[in-house]
Amino acid sequence: EKGGWSSFMAKEISEEPEAIAKTILGRVSDGLVHVPELDALGDDVLRGIDRVLIIACGTAAYAGLVGKYAIEQWARVPVDVELAHEFRYRDPVLSTSTLVISVSQSGETMDTLMAVKFAREAGARTLSICNTQGATIPRESDAVIYTHAGPEVAVASTKAFVAQITAMYLFGLQLAQARATLDDETVRGLVAELQEVPEKLTKVLEVGDRIRELAHWMADTRSVLFLGRHVGYPVALEGALKLKELAYIHAEGFAAGELKHGPIALIEPGQVVFVIVPSPRDERSLHAKVVSNIQEIRARGARVIAIAEEGDVAVLPHADEVIRIPLASPFFEPLLAVVPLHIFGMELAAAKGLDVDQPRNLAKSVTVE
Ligand code: F6R
């Protein structure tokens, strides 16, 4: 039931902090990660993996992309992300030391299911990240990490997305523990930060009214671009997908570093561009690079809406609007930065008078290839 909310989507966005908290619950012990369901694979298998392949579709694939960055950095295993339907119909190289992780809210997506079956037959180990108890994909996999986002009714995925990213982080940290690529203190620090995310996200939800105003003045906008780097890149892709499916407007997400390799030609006066700004505390100097991207597009007349950390004043002179997110380590920023974009997609669709729970031509679970 909608329980007083204007739509299931509004209700489910409000449940994003809880979806993260519930996905962590029961999986931390003595400050370290222990996902009991991973016992089905065993530490020997985790230690023996020499490659991880993440397969999924749509929003779930973007969660997988965040997972790639985290698992590679923490567990030092090469990770690739592939759309399930592309993976299945080429001739991929797999071995018994490949772990194929499928990500699916419904657990019934036919493209993903076919890819899992194919991977199993080819001898790979399979792990499912799934939100639906007893669904087909987890039943076809060697092990499953359930996301505990609760039932998701709105067609556009929101709370399941943040829960999927959370499950990816838990997996990445447990893998790092098994492979001893991170010391216990580092893992404990990351786990503690992850546990703080739900509370921070509750604060982020307060930007709802401001975003509704933005969406109202943008109701006639025909195209919106999204830029991000590192784990902000999948967030940009997710923001764009939500606008396409909910508000039926053309939207593209780009890795900010690609801008000068083509997309900057799209920038003309009035073009709305959302930019997910990495933390200025990030030691890789990505912040400076993204701020310079903002200057470049602003100089060409773009209207820039920056999603930036509290206290990041460097963006102020260059952005038309700044949406603030609380301080977090780089890996936890996507969980905070994506929620304003979920709200934006919903509010823009609502401003256009569209049905946000049931967009045209879409089904909640795509059970045909
Ligand atoms: C986007 C959306 C879809 C799904 C995709 C995979 O908002 O909902 O892109 O993410 O169809 O669905 P699952 O996760 O059920 O496999």
Side-chain angles (χ1 to χ4, degrees):
E1 260 316 298
K2 277 190 254 181
W5 293 92
S6 56
S7 62
F8 281 106
M9 191 174 178
K11 174 174 180 275
E12 287 162 9
I13 290 173
S14 80
E15 291 167 351
E16 292 199 50
E18 199 184 329
I20 296 169
K22 286 190 170 162
T23 299
I24 301 169
L25 203 71
R27 288 160 171 178
V28 173
S29 122
D30 188 24
L32 298 174
V33 178
H34 177 226
V35 179
E37 296 103 307
L38 284 176
D39 294 348
L41 281 179
D43 266 8
D44 284 351
V45 170
L46 291 184
R47 272 191 289 271
I49 294 165
D50 60 16
R51 182 171 170 234
V52 173
L53 197 58
I54 300 171
I55 49 168
C57 304
T59 284
Y62 302 151
L65 200 47
V66 177
K68 169 188 162 84
Y69 287 86
I71 297 167
E72 281 202 343
Q73 177 155 339
W74 294 338
R76 310 309 299 157
V77 186
V79 183
D80 287 301
V81 183
E82 196 161 349
L83 296 169
H85 34 89
E86 284 299 315
F87 165 79
R88 169 66 187 84
Y89 292 100
R90 58 186 188 82
D91 195 2
V93 179
L94 297 169
S95 78
T96 50
S97 52
T98 306
L99 177 70
V100 172
I101 306 181
S102 62
V103 190
S104 176
Q105 187 286 128
S106 62
E108 301 296 343
T109 299
M110 187 57 78
D111 287 312
T112 309
L113 174 61
M114 296 310 278
V116 170
K117 285 188 172 170
F118 174 83
R120 262 194 109 165
E121 276 158 26
R125 310 278 180 165
T126 52
L127 169 67
S128 150
I129 291 180
C130 181
N131 196 47
T132 311
Q133 289 283 334
T136 312
I137 294 172
R139 279 194 277 117
E140 291 287 336
S141 305
D142 298 319
V144 52
I145 302 179
Y146 281 109
T147 48
H148 295 300
E152 196 177 58
V153 177
V155 164
S157 188
T158 54
K159 61 177 180 172
F161 177 69
V162 292
Q164 285 161 350
I165 293 175
T166 305
M168 282 286 169
Y169 289 160
L170 292 173
F171 174 76
L173 290 171
Q174 186 159 338
L175 190 62
Q177 288 167 196
R179 300 168 72 87
T181 47
L182 292 181
D183 59 56
D184 284 0
E185 276 329 289
T186 306
V187 175
R188 283 199 176 91
L190 288 164
V191 168
E193 264 223 65
L194 180 60
Q195 288 173 317
E196 286 166 12
V197 170
E199 203 181 316
K200 291 180 181 174
L201 198 49
T202 305
K203 277 185 67 189
V204 175
L205 285 168
E206 291 167 11
V207 300
D209 289 346
R210 175 105 172 284
I211 293 188
R212 187 171 310 125
E213 284 166 30
L214 271 178
H216 272 274
W217 71 251
M218 268 193 238
D220 296 327
T221 304
R222 310 211 22 196
S223 153
V224 178
L225 304 181
F226 293 83
L227 295 179
R229 265 191 102 116
H230 192 253
V231 284
Y233 168 46
V235 173
L237 296 173
E238 166 70 356
L241 179 61
K242 287 295 174 287
L243 280 202
K244 289 176 213 175
E245 64 177 333
L246 292 161
Y248 315 154
I249 68 172
H250 179 255
E252 290 278 339
F254 297 109
E258 274 295 286
L259 199 59
K260 56 186 169 303
H261 301 289
I264 198 162
L266 286 169
I267 306 295
E268 54 189 16
Q271 172 69 53
V272 176
V273 185
F274 277 78
V275 183
I276 296 100
V277 184
S279 166
R281 296 168 298 119
D282 181 83
E283 70 275 5
R284 290 158 303 188
S285 71
L286 295 180
H287 175 265
K289 292 187 167 71
V290 171
V291 170
S292 130
N293 290 143
I294 294 177
Q295 286 171 291
E296 285 156 6
I297 56 175
R298 192 73 176 323
R300 288 162 180 81
R303 236 195 119 102
V304 174
I305 302 167
I307 301 183
E309 184 175 280
E310 273 161 17
D312 177 358
V313 288
V315 293
L316 285 175
H318 313 297
D320 297 272
E321 286 279 341
V322 182
I323 296 164
R324 294 293 180 186
I325 56 171
L327 269 62
S329 296
F331 275 113
F332 304 120
E333 285 167 14
L335 294 172
L336 303 171
V338 77
V339 173
L341 300 184
H342 284 163
I343 299 174
F344 182 67
M346 175 180 72
E347 293 294 351
L348 193 53
K352 293 180 77 169
L354 301 170
D355 181 345
V356 300
D357 285 339
Q358 185 57 70
R360 68 186 178 198
N361 309 340
L362 290 172
K364 181 64 186 161
S365 153
V366 185
T367 52
V368 290
E369 271 193 274

